[in-house]
């Protein structure tokens, strides 16, 4: 399996000559008032990527970009959707083949298996995590989940996860402008929680996502960390990690 890190939480998987996109986003402009400007140059991938399968963890527009469906999904491609999101997705995806799965239900095609598992969104909206595996590699993608009590169970029921893509920015959001009361509690995993979650998932390596690209001093305040923090947290929890920068490719075989 070949894995490319895209913008923010997005990844592109290539396996069995098939291309899979998870939480792939190019256009963050709708959230600019609360996220601010991107702090690094965004990757434009839609000009060259044609996907056989597109997945997303939830409907926040920094994880769900309907234009990617229009630009990147092949004519015979499939959206693979957690059933809790089906009625939302159908509003944006007409005349597209959709595979709808309940939590812990699997769909296998071309020797690639897809499985949505439990996740918890930081502001109470519907979300799932995804497990995708081929004959060599198994990955877990956690969207922007917060800490929850199912990591133990998921780890026991889904053995041999090679890479856990988990948010690490532990962001505190102030979205009163859209009607949500302010809370000082982080709306995504922080660094320590992500390492602990990867450990409970028995993942070979944590791959941090959902950090570094956006910050807003009033509305979107991430917890900052550096290489020293990564190393110290890894050693303390006993969980290996791998940094994959936007645009970089990891080939696992």
């Amino acid at each position: 399996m070949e894995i490319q890190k895209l913008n923010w939480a997005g990844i592109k998987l290539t396996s069995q000559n098939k291309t899979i996109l998870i939480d792939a986003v190019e256009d963050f402009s709708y959230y600019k008032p609360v996220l601010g400007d991107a702090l690094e140059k965004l990757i434009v991938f839609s000009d060259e990527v044609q996907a056989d399968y597109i997945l997303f963890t939830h409907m926040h527009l920094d994880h769900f970009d309907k234009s990617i469906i229009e630009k990147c999904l092949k004519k015979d491609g499939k959206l693979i959707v957690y059933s809790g999101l089906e009625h939302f997705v159908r509003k944006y995806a007409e005349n597209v083949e959709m595979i709808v799965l309940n939590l812990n239900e699997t769909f296998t095609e071309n020797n690639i298996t897809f499985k949505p598992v439990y996740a918890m969104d930081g502001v109470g909206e519907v979300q799932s995590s995804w497990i995708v595996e081929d004959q060599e590699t198994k990955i877990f993608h956690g969207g922007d989940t917060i800490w929850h009590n199912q990591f133990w169970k998921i780890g026991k029921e889904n053995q041999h996860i090679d890479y856990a893509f988990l948010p690490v920015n532990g962001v505190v959001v102030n979205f009163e402008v859209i009607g949500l009361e302010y809370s000082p509690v982080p709306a995504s995993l922080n660094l320590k929680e992500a390492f602990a979650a990867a450990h409970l998932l028995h993942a070979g390596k944590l791959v941090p996502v959902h950090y570094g690209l956006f910050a807003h001093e009033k509305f979107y305040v991430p917890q900052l960390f550096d290489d020293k923090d990564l190393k110290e947290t890894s050693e303390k929890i006993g969980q290996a990690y791998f940094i994959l920068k936007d645009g970089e490719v990891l080939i696992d075989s």
Side-chain angles (χ1 to χ4, degrees):
M1 181 183 288
E2 180 181 289
I3 305 168
Q4 183 181 26
K5 173 77 167 60
L6 301 175
N7 299 310
W8 199 223
I11 61 173
K12 182 184 78 168
L13 309 176
T14 306
S15 176
Q16 318 297 317
N17 293 316
K18 302 297 180 181
T19 297
I20 303 155
L21 295 178
I22 306 178
D23 281 7
V25 176
E26 281 184 345
D27 182 7
F28 296 88
S29 61
Y30 185 80
Y31 279 177
K32 183 177 178 178
V34 292
L35 292 181
D37 291 310
L39 299 176
E40 299 177 7
K41 185 176 181 180
L42 294 171
I43 298 169
V44 177
F45 54 86
S46 63
D47 291 339
E48 58 186 35
V49 173
Q50 288 292 289
D52 299 277
Y53 308 99
I54 293 180
L55 298 72
F56 39 86
T57 56
H58 61 299
M59 300 297 289
H60 292 171
L61 300 183
D62 58 332
H63 294 258
F64 175 84
D65 185 345
K66 72 172 185 177
S67 69
I68 295 302
I69 299 173
E70 298 165 357
K71 295 176 183 178
C72 295
L73 188 65
K74 293 179 179 178
K75 289 184 178 181
D76 60 348
K78 298 178 175 68
L79 290 183
I80 304 182
V81 179
Y82 164 47
S83 60
L85 294 173
E86 179 186 4
H87 70 287
F88 298 109
V89 179
R90 291 199 182 277
K91 297 177 183 178
Y92 299 100
E94 298 179 356
N95 303 316
V96 174
E97 184 174 357
M98 193 178 302
I99 305 298
V100 179
L101 302 174
N102 295 318
L103 290 184
N104 302 310
E105 184 180 4
T106 61
F107 169 72
T108 301
E109 188 172 76
N110 297 306
N111 292 316
I112 306 169
T113 298
F114 305 88
K115 181 180 184 180
V117 295
Y118 183 85
M120 184 175 285
D121 182 71
V123 294
E125 297 186 6
V126 179
Q127 181 168 168
S128 74
S129 294
W130 283 97
I131 294 174
V132 180
E133 64 178 306
D134 61 12
Q135 295 172 308
E136 299 172 340
T137 306
K138 180 185 288 189
I139 71 100
F140 178 98
H141 193 293
D144 63 3
T145 186
I146 60 173
W147 181 261
H148 57 71
N149 64 5
Q150 297 297 299
F151 288 116
W152 287 267
K153 184 174 185 287
I154 294 170
K156 289 179 180 179
E157 294 180 350
N158 300 277
Q159 298 182 7
H160 309 300
I161 292 172
D162 296 288
Y163 302 100
F165 292 82
L166 291 167
V168 295
N169 69 341
V171 66
V172 173
V173 299
N174 183 357
F175 288 166
E176 290 179 301
V177 292
I178 58 172
L180 291 176
E181 291 183 80
Y182 170 76
S183 169
V185 177
S188 63
L189 296 177
N190 63 29
L191 192 65
K192 181 173 72 172
E193 291 170 335
F195 271 99
H199 179 72
L200 294 178
L201 292 170
H202 309 294
K205 291 183 179 178
L206 163 68
V207 184
V209 297
H210 201 269
Y211 72 100
L213 190 60
F214 295 106
H216 191 293
E217 62 181 2
K218 181 178 180 181
F219 300 122
Y220 196 85
V221 184
Q223 296 182 17
L224 303 179
F225 59 88
D226 57 22
D227 290 342
K228 181 181 178 183
D229 296 320
L230 283 163
K231 184 177 180 181
E232 289 180 351
T233 308
S234 172
E235 292 174 351
K236 183 175 182 179
I237 294 177
Q239 172 62 49
Y241 69 97
F242 183 85
I243 297 298
L244 196 62
K245 295 181 179 179
D246 291 2
E248 286 189 339
V249 175
L250 168 66
I251 299 176
D252 187 77
S253 59

